[in-house]
Amino acid sequence: MEDAGKYGNDKMSRKLIVAGNWKMNKTASEGKALVEALKNEAAGICSCVEIVVCPPFTTLCSVVEAAKGSRIKVGAQNVHWAENGAFTGEISAAMLKEAGVEYVIIGHSERRQYFGETDETVNSRLKAALAAGLKPIVCIGELLEEREGGRTEAVLERQVKGAFAGISAEDAAKVVLAYEPVWAIGTGKTATPEVAEATHAFIRSVVRALYGEAIAEGMTIQYGGSMKPANARELVAQKDIDGGLIGGAALKADSFAELIRQAVEGNR
Ligand code: PGA
């Protein structure tokens, strides 16, 4: 039986994760400098939040090196599903693992829009990431026309079910979801906390239908799309919002750190 009030305390038991998606920004030396600055800021932030940075492939190694000995975790922005082979331009999970990478973003809307990513390829990449012990951040989100056409829930349900097809409960429990309404990415338009919360609650209900209450309630679901220091607190204060996937505001140490501090406040 569904009982909204029953889940009221589970937010605190979920892992709060704020991840910076650097997209195609920062060379190796620029990334190193950003992480050095972030390290200083992060030292003073509550250990209750997991801080992740996701640089481009060629910047990963310098960032892993710079983050050593700190609490900052490193993620990649994509991973291929095959172990190796004739896949020009792709990177395998084993390559990321050996580089010291812990997280990986899968199915970002920019990959879905510009690089032919589908629910099926997201599912294949997710399986490869899990098999290699990478922590996946799986992105889902509707387009503006889908929201305006009343198709948001159908799209999200299809994306969640597609991503998790054939994935065991044990593996599903290791996945982080990021809800990123495509119309809010890089546009300055954020979903209102109410709209974001209603959508997160729906996504969690889809996970609940697939895997049951414990896994649904334990799953970190980040919000992404123009999250910044000024709105992070109110967004993360929502019951089903457990952090953020941050683009633009993650490219400077001071704004990213301030956003993380606001998220911690919101999560209390
Ligand atoms: P944004 O990007 O914060 O710049 O909107 C978020 C994302 O695409 O992950």
XYZ file of all heavy atoms in Angstrom, residues 140-218:
585
model
N 17.818 10.847 -17.105
C 16.527 10.753 -17.790
C 15.913 12.158 -17.797
O 16.308 13.007 -16.997
C 15.575 9.768 -17.078
C 15.406 10.160 -15.604
C 16.094 8.342 -17.184
C 14.363 9.340 -14.876
N 14.970 12.368 -18.687
C 14.331 13.690 -18.712
C 13.542 13.882 -19.988
O 13.875 13.304 -21.025
N 12.509 14.691 -19.886
C 11.625 14.897 -21.042
C 11.987 16.188 -21.778
O 12.525 17.120 -21.201
C 10.157 14.947 -20.579
C 9.684 16.279 -19.989
C 10.214 16.552 -18.583
O 10.955 15.719 -18.040
O 9.893 17.632 -18.020
N 11.643 16.219 -23.055
C 11.806 17.430 -23.873
C 10.663 18.394 -23.552
O 9.630 17.985 -23.019
C 11.744 17.083 -25.363
C 12.741 16.043 -25.881
C 12.379 15.627 -27.311
C 14.159 16.610 -25.843
N 10.838 19.642 -23.940
C 9.787 20.641 -23.701
C 8.465 20.221 -24.352
O 7.402 20.276 -23.730
C 10.227 22.008 -24.239
C 9.235 23.154 -24.000
C 8.977 23.347 -22.506
C 9.745 24.457 -24.615
N 8.558 19.758 -25.608
C 7.288 19.398 -26.292
C 6.621 18.201 -25.625
O 5.400 18.074 -25.652
C 7.499 19.170 -27.791
C 8.254 17.942 -28.168
C 9.537 18.279 -28.929
O 10.185 19.299 -28.603
O 9.883 17.514 -29.853
N 7.422 17.332 -25.019
C 6.836 16.183 -24.317
C 6.116 16.641 -23.049
O 5.025 16.169 -22.730
C 7.927 15.159 -23.995
C 8.448 14.482 -25.264
C 9.731 13.692 -25.076
O 10.498 13.945 -24.102
O 10.001 12.830 -25.928
N 6.734 17.589 -22.338
C 6.047 18.108 -21.144
C 4.771 18.841 -21.555
O 3.713 18.610 -20.977
C 6.957 19.033 -20.320
C 6.230 19.591 -19.091
C 7.149 20.084 -17.999
N 7.776 19.035 -17.207
C 7.267 18.484 -16.106
N 6.083 18.835 -15.656
N 7.944 17.568 -15.425
N 4.898 19.701 -22.565
C 3.719 20.474 -22.969
C 2.619 19.582 -23.545
O 1.437 19.896 -23.447
C 4.125 21.569 -23.972
C 4.909 22.670 -23.269
C 5.423 23.760 -24.206
O 5.492 23.503 -25.428
O 5.761 24.839 -23.692
N 3.008 18.463 -24.095
C 2.028 17.533 -24.664
C 1.487 16.548 -23.634
O 0.783 15.599 -24.000
N 1.857 16.739 -22.354
C 1.339 15.856 -21.302
C 1.949 14.457 -21.330
O 1.376 13.508 -20.814
N 3.143 14.335 -21.922
C 3.741 13.001 -22.053
C 4.906 12.763 -21.092
O 5.608 11.759 -21.200
C 4.204 12.790 -23.500
C 3.072 12.848 -24.529
C 3.471 12.217 -25.853
N 4.631 12.870 -26.474
C 4.587 14.023 -27.154
N 3.444 14.657 -27.302
N 5.674 14.535 -27.689
N 5.110 13.672 -20.153
C 6.279 13.570 -19.269
C 6.358 12.208 -18.583
O 7.405 11.541 -18.621
C 6.239 14.691 -18.198
O 6.262 15.946 -18.881
C 7.429 14.606 -17.262
N 5.272 11.787 -17.960
C 5.327 10.540 -17.188
C 5.566 9.334 -18.088
O 6.347 8.441 -17.738
C 4.058 10.384 -16.349
C 3.983 11.472 -15.275
C 2.970 11.192 -14.180
O 2.145 10.270 -14.335
O 3.016 11.905 -13.158
N 4.928 9.341 -19.250
C 5.112 8.204 -20.161
C 6.572 8.131 -20.626
O 7.164 7.049 -20.689
C 4.179 8.345 -21.364
N 7.164 9.288 -20.911
C 8.557 9.322 -21.377
C 9.496 8.841 -20.266
O 10.381 8.007 -20.484
C 8.944 10.764 -21.816
C 10.450 10.901 -22.013
C 8.191 11.142 -23.085
N 9.282 9.346 -19.059
C 10.172 8.977 -17.954
C 10.033 7.493 -17.607
O 11.026 6.821 -17.324
C 9.883 9.847 -16.728
C 10.218 11.339 -16.930
C 9.727 12.153 -15.734
C 11.715 11.540 -17.119
N 8.808 7.007 -17.651
C 8.598 5.587 -17.348
C 9.319 4.715 -18.385
O 9.984 3.739 -18.044
C 7.096 5.278 -17.327
C 6.806 3.842 -16.935
C 5.341 3.591 -16.647
O 4.523 4.540 -16.677
O 5.011 2.426 -16.385
N 9.212 5.128 -19.654
C 9.895 4.372 -20.716
C 11.415 4.423 -20.519
O 12.107 3.415 -20.629
C 9.529 5.002 -22.072
C 9.946 4.191 -23.289
C 10.105 5.076 -24.509
N 11.300 5.911 -24.410
C 11.383 7.172 -24.827
N 10.346 7.770 -25.358
N 12.523 7.852 -24.690
N 11.932 5.608 -20.151
C 13.383 5.744 -19.974
C 13.878 4.919 -18.779
O 14.921 4.279 -18.845
C 13.758 7.221 -19.797
C 13.577 8.029 -21.078
C 13.862 9.515 -20.878
O 13.805 10.040 -19.771
N 14.143 10.210 -21.968
N 13.123 4.954 -17.681
C 13.552 4.200 -16.490
C 13.482 2.704 -16.775
O 14.442 1.959 -16.515
C 12.679 4.567 -15.256
C 12.983 3.639 -14.084
C 12.913 6.016 -14.851
N 12.367 2.257 -17.326
C 12.224 0.820 -17.605
C 13.261 0.364 -18.624
O 13.822 -0.719 -18.514
C 10.809 0.506 -18.088
C 9.795 0.583 -16.952
C 8.410 0.137 -17.384
C 7.489 0.040 -16.179
N 6.065 -0.005 -16.565
N 13.512 1.211 -19.611
C 14.510 0.862 -20.621
C 15.900 0.763 -20.019
O 16.643 -0.185 -20.287
N 16.239 1.700 -19.185
C 17.579 1.702 -18.576
C 17.781 0.456 -17.715
O 18.844 -0.161 -17.722
C 17.777 2.964 -17.740
N 16.746 0.063 -16.975
C 16.899 -1.019 -15.994
C 16.543 -2.402 -16.548
O 16.558 -3.372 -15.797
C 16.034 -0.731 -14.758
C 16.623 0.301 -13.828
C 16.074 1.570 -13.722
C 17.733 -0.002 -13.053
C 16.612 2.527 -12.859
C 18.287 0.938 -12.185
C 17.726 2.209 -12.079
N 16.250 -2.491 -17.843
C 15.843 -3.797 -18.397
C 16.918 -4.853 -18.125
O 18.097 -4.667 -18.448
C 15.597 -3.656 -19.897
N 16.509 -5.947 -17.510
C 17.439 -7.061 -17.279
C 18.446 -6.819 -16.173
O 19.405 -7.579 -16.031
N 18.247 -5.787 -15.391
C 19.201 -5.480 -14.310
C 18.649 -6.000 -12.981
O 17.492 -5.744 -12.647
C 19.480 -3.962 -14.276
C 20.147 -3.627 -15.603
C 20.290 -3.568 -13.036
C 21.018 -2.488 -15.692
N 19.473 -6.739 -12.250
C 19.021 -7.348 -10.997
C 18.767 -6.272 -9.944
O 19.280 -5.149 -10.041
C 20.095 -8.312 -10.473
O 21.226 -7.568 -10.055
N 18.012 -6.649 -8.927
C 17.742 -5.718 -7.835
C 19.047 -5.313 -7.147
O 19.251 -4.147 -6.797
C 16.787 -6.360 -6.832
N 19.923 -6.283 -6.990
C 21.203 -5.999 -6.322
C 21.990 -4.925 -7.082
O 22.558 -4.003 -6.484
C 22.012 -7.305 -6.275
C 23.208 -7.259 -5.367
C 24.104 -8.471 -5.565
O 23.613 -9.525 -6.044
O 25.292 -8.361 -5.262
N 21.986 -5.023 -8.399
C 22.681 -4.016 -9.211
C 21.905 -2.698 -9.247
O 22.500 -1.619 -9.214
C 22.888 -4.536 -10.638
C 24.178 -5.331 -10.762
O 25.018 -5.250 -9.843
O 24.335 -6.032 -11.768
N 20.581 -2.785 -9.315
C 19.772 -1.560 -9.376
C 20.034 -0.676 -8.156
O 20.022 0.554 -8.248
C 18.291 -1.914 -9.471
N 20.295 -1.312 -7.041
C 20.531 -0.572 -5.803
C 21.815 0.268 -5.865
O 22.027 1.147 -5.031
C 20.595 -1.547 -4.628
N 22.661 -0.006 -6.855
C 23.928 0.742 -6.975
C 23.804 1.938 -7.909
O 24.762 2.679 -8.121
C 25.017 -0.198 -7.515
C 25.306 -1.373 -6.595
C 26.220 -2.371 -7.304
C 26.340 -3.646 -6.467
N 26.711 -4.806 -7.294
N 22.626 2.112 -8.505
C 22.457 3.138 -9.539
C 21.954 4.452 -8.929
O 21.091 4.460 -8.059
C 21.457 2.639 -10.615
C 21.169 3.727 -11.643
C 21.988 1.377 -11.289
N 22.513 5.544 -9.415
C 22.002 6.886 -9.106
C 21.227 7.348 -10.337
O 21.694 7.158 -11.459
C 23.174 7.856 -8.844
C 22.686 9.286 -8.678
C 23.976 7.408 -7.627
N 20.060 7.917 -10.129
C 19.319 8.497 -11.253
C 19.474 10.011 -11.217
O 19.578 10.607 -10.131
C 17.834 8.146 -11.159
C 17.410 6.739 -11.591
C 15.913 6.561 -11.382
C 17.776 6.459 -13.045
N 19.504 10.625 -12.381
C 19.495 12.088 -12.454
C 18.324 12.499 -13.337
O 18.286 12.149 -14.524
C 20.807 12.603 -13.039
N 17.377 13.198 -12.737
C 16.260 13.721 -13.530
C 16.641 15.094 -14.053
O 16.846 16.036 -13.273
C 14.982 13.821 -12.695
C 13.919 14.631 -13.404
C 13.454 14.250 -14.668
C 13.406 15.805 -12.852
C 12.520 15.011 -15.350
C 12.452 16.571 -13.520
C 12.019 16.166 -14.773
O 11.099 16.916 -15.461
N 16.757 15.195 -15.359
C 17.136 16.466 -15.981
C 16.127 16.815 -17.073
O 16.232 16.308 -18.199
C 18.537 16.354 -16.590
C 19.612 15.997 -15.584
C 20.988 16.424 -16.051
O 21.411 16.031 -17.153
O 21.636 17.180 -15.323
N 15.146 17.650 -16.751
C 14.230 18.086 -17.807
C 15.033 18.807 -18.877
O 15.780 19.748 -18.576
C 13.273 19.032 -17.074
C 13.898 19.367 -15.767
C 14.902 18.305 -15.457
N 14.934 18.348 -20.110
C 15.833 18.849 -21.155
C 15.651 20.353 -21.355
O 16.609 21.075 -21.624
C 15.614 18.058 -22.474
C 16.535 18.565 -23.573
C 15.862 16.571 -22.241
N 14.437 20.836 -21.149
C 14.148 22.258 -21.320
C 14.793 23.120 -20.237
O 14.811 24.345 -20.344
C 12.630 22.488 -21.348
C 11.879 21.760 -20.274
C 11.371 20.497 -20.357
C 11.582 22.226 -18.952
N 10.763 20.144 -19.171
C 10.879 21.182 -18.298
C 11.831 23.416 -18.249
C 10.434 21.294 -16.975
C 11.386 23.522 -16.948
C 10.704 22.475 -16.326
N 15.325 22.496 -19.209
C 15.959 23.263 -18.125
C 17.483 23.228 -18.190
O 18.150 23.903 -17.412
C 15.500 22.714 -16.771
N 18.033 22.455 -19.129
C 19.492 22.305 -19.173
C 20.137 23.462 -19.912
O 19.858 23.684 -21.092
C 19.884 20.963 -19.826
C 19.384 19.804 -18.953
C 21.383 20.877 -20.018
C 19.680 18.436 -19.519
N 20.980 24.192 -19.188
C 21.737 25.281 -19.803
C 20.873 26.450 -20.252
O 21.342 27.342 -20.953
N 19.624 26.459 -19.853
C 18.703 27.497 -20.337
C 18.431 28.569 -19.289
O 17.844 29.597 -19.600
C 17.331 26.866 -20.679
O 16.816 26.229 -19.499
C 17.443 25.845 -21.786
N 18.839 28.287 -18.043
C 18.507 29.210 -16.961
C 17.108 28.958 -16.416
O 16.723 29.507 -15.399
N 16.335 28.119 -17.106
C 14.982 27.785 -16.631
C 15.069 26.558 -15.739
O 15.414 25.469 -16.213
C 14.086 27.401 -17.812
C 13.593 28.543 -18.626
C 12.554 28.020 -19.637
C 12.580 28.901 -20.865
N 12.097 28.253 -22.063
N 14.778 26.722 -14.479
C 14.785 25.569 -13.585
C 13.348 25.103 -13.413
O 12.432 25.920 -13.429
C 15.267 25.969 -12.175
O 16.286 26.931 -12.329
C 15.802 24.792 -11.408
N 13.158 23.807 -13.226
C 11.830 23.348 -12.836
C 11.561 23.939 -11.456
O 12.473 24.048 -10.639
C 11.807 21.830 -12.779
N 10.332 24.353 -11.193
C 10.045 24.846 -9.839
C 10.233 23.668 -8.887
O 10.102 22.504 -9.287
C 8.596 25.339 -9.709
O 7.721 24.223 -9.964
C 8.300 26.463 -10.679
N 10.509 23.946 -7.620
C 10.670 22.842 -6.662
C 9.453 21.925 -6.655
O 9.594 20.713 -6.546
C 10.839 23.563 -5.321
C 11.410 24.892 -5.690
C 10.815 25.249 -7.014
N 8.269 22.499 -6.834
C 7.049 21.681 -6.803
C 6.981 20.749 -8.013
O 6.664 19.571 -7.883
C 5.794 22.574 -6.779
C 5.635 23.418 -5.519
C 6.631 24.591 -5.453
O 7.058 25.096 -6.521
O 6.987 24.998 -4.328
N 7.283 21.303 -9.191
C 7.250 20.472 -10.403
C 8.337 19.401 -10.323
O 8.112 18.226 -10.639
C 7.432 21.356 -11.669
C 7.751 20.507 -12.887
C 6.181 22.190 -11.902
N 9.523 19.809 -9.880
C 10.619 18.846 -9.777
C 10.247 17.747 -8.783
O 10.428 16.557 -9.066
C 11.907 19.555 -9.354
N 9.715 18.120 -7.640
C 9.365 17.124 -6.618
C 8.308 16.143 -7.141
O 8.435 14.925 -6.970
C 8.872 17.814 -5.339
C 8.209 16.895 -4.311
C 9.046 15.704 -3.860
O 10.292 15.763 -3.957
O 8.455 14.701 -3.421
N 7.287 16.675 -7.776
C 6.230 15.787 -8.286
C 6.828 14.799 -9.291
O 6.473 13.613 -9.300
C 5.131 16.622 -8.949
N 7.767 15.276 -10.097
C 8.361 14.406 -11.106
C 9.286 13.373 -10.453
O 9.281 12.196 -10.812
C 9.113 15.246 -12.158
O 8.280 16.352 -12.536
C 9.441 14.429 -13.378
N 10.065 13.819 -9.470
C 10.936 12.868 -8.751
C 10.111 11.789 -8.058
O 10.485 10.614 -8.060
C 11.782 13.611 -7.717
C 13.006 14.242 -8.290
N 14.282 13.953 -7.855
C 13.153 15.151 -9.279
C 15.158 14.658 -8.557
N 14.496 15.398 -9.419
N 9.005 12.209 -7.453
C 8.153 11.229 -6.759
C 7.608 10.216 -7.757
O 7.534 9.016 -7.468
C 7.021 11.941 -6.031
N 7.271 10.709 -8.959
C 6.781 9.777 -9.990
C 7.895 8.798 -10.381
O 7.671 7.580 -10.477
C 6.290 10.535 -11.230
C 5.974 9.599 -12.351
C 4.814 8.845 -12.324
C 6.865 9.415 -13.406
C 4.537 7.916 -13.332
C 6.596 8.494 -14.412
C 5.433 7.751 -14.376
N 9.097 9.321 -10.591
C 10.222 8.448 -10.981
C 10.453 7.384 -9.898
O 10.648 6.204 -10.185
C 11.498 9.297 -11.204
C 11.314 10.200 -12.426
C 12.732 8.407 -11.353
C 12.315 11.346 -12.510
N 10.388 7.813 -8.646
C 10.603 6.849 -7.561
C 9.489 5.790 -7.571
O 9.729 4.622 -7.266
C 10.678 7.583 -6.209
C 11.385 6.764 -5.138
C 11.526 7.509 -3.804
N 12.302 8.738 -3.863
C 13.622 8.801 -3.963
N 14.338 7.698 -4.000
N 14.245 9.973 -4.006
N 8.292 6.193 -7.942
C 7.200 5.213 -7.988
C 7.434 4.183 -9.101
O 7.066 3.018 -8.953
C 5.843 5.915 -8.158
O 5.654 6.308 -9.512
N 8.071 4.609 -10.185
C 8.393 3.651 -11.254
C 9.453 2.664 -10.750
O 9.350 1.450 -10.976
C 8.894 4.390 -12.527
C 9.325 3.392 -13.597
C 7.825 5.330 -13.069
N 10.445 3.183 -10.033
C 11.482 2.300 -9.476
C 10.847 1.348 -8.453
O 11.173 0.156 -8.399
C 12.620 3.126 -8.822
C 13.648 2.204 -8.161
C 13.296 4.026 -9.851
N 9.903 1.865 -7.695
C 9.221 1.029 -6.688
C 8.457 -0.116 -7.354
O 8.500 -1.255 -6.899
C 8.275 1.894 -5.855
C 7.675 1.179 -4.649
C 6.794 2.107 -3.808
N 7.563 3.194 -3.226
C 7.282 4.487 -3.375
N 6.243 4.888 -4.087
N 8.042 5.404 -2.811
N 7.809 0.210 -8.467
C 7.050 -0.828 -9.185
C 7.993 -1.896 -9.742
O 7.645 -3.073 -9.818
C 6.241 -0.187 -10.308
N 9.210 -1.486 -10.101
C 10.165 -2.445 -10.668
C 10.859 -3.271 -9.599
O 11.053 -4.476 -9.754
C 11.255 -1.697 -11.462
C 10.880 -1.059 -12.797
C 12.074 -0.275 -13.344
C 10.459 -2.133 -13.800
N 11.258 -2.606 -8.502
C 12.177 -3.263 -7.553
C 11.696 -3.277 -6.108
O 12.386 -3.793 -5.238
C 13.552 -2.576 -7.603
C 14.263 -2.780 -8.918
C 14.397 -1.741 -9.834
C 14.792 -4.023 -9.251
C 15.047 -1.925 -11.043
C 15.447 -4.217 -10.464
C 15.573 -3.165 -11.353
O 16.211 -3.366 -12.553
N 10.551 -2.669 -5.839
C 10.049 -2.685 -4.470
C 10.473 -1.465 -3.679
O 11.274 -0.638 -4.124
N 9.914 -1.414 -2.491
C 10.021 -0.213 -1.676
C 11.441 0.093 -1.198
O 11.901 1.230 -1.253
C 9.100 -0.396 -0.471
C 9.021 0.797 0.413
C 8.090 0.517 1.591
O 7.007 -0.022 1.350
O 8.481 0.825 2.715
N 12.155 -0.924 -0.747
C 13.467 -0.657 -0.146
C 14.419 -0.041 -1.173
O 15.118 0.936 -0.881
C 14.049 -1.939 0.426
N 14.430 -0.591 -2.366
C 15.347 -0.065 -3.389
C 14.889 1.317 -3.846
O 15.699 2.237 -4.002
C 15.480 -1.061 -4.555
C 16.318 -2.236 -4.040
C 16.114 -0.409 -5.791
C 16.544 -3.339 -5.011
N 13.589 1.497 -4.018
C 13.082 2.809 -4.443
C 13.416 3.877 -3.399
O 13.862 4.976 -3.736
C 11.580 2.741 -4.673
N 13.194 3.554 -2.156
C 13.434 4.550 -1.097
C 14.914 4.805 -0.868
O 15.308 5.853 -0.368
C 12.744 4.113 0.199
C 11.227 4.175 0.128
C 10.711 5.550 -0.305
O 11.182 6.559 0.250
O 9.868 5.601 -1.207
N 15.740 3.844 -1.219
C 17.182 4.013 -1.007
C 17.883 4.703 -2.165
O 19.039 5.101 -2.055
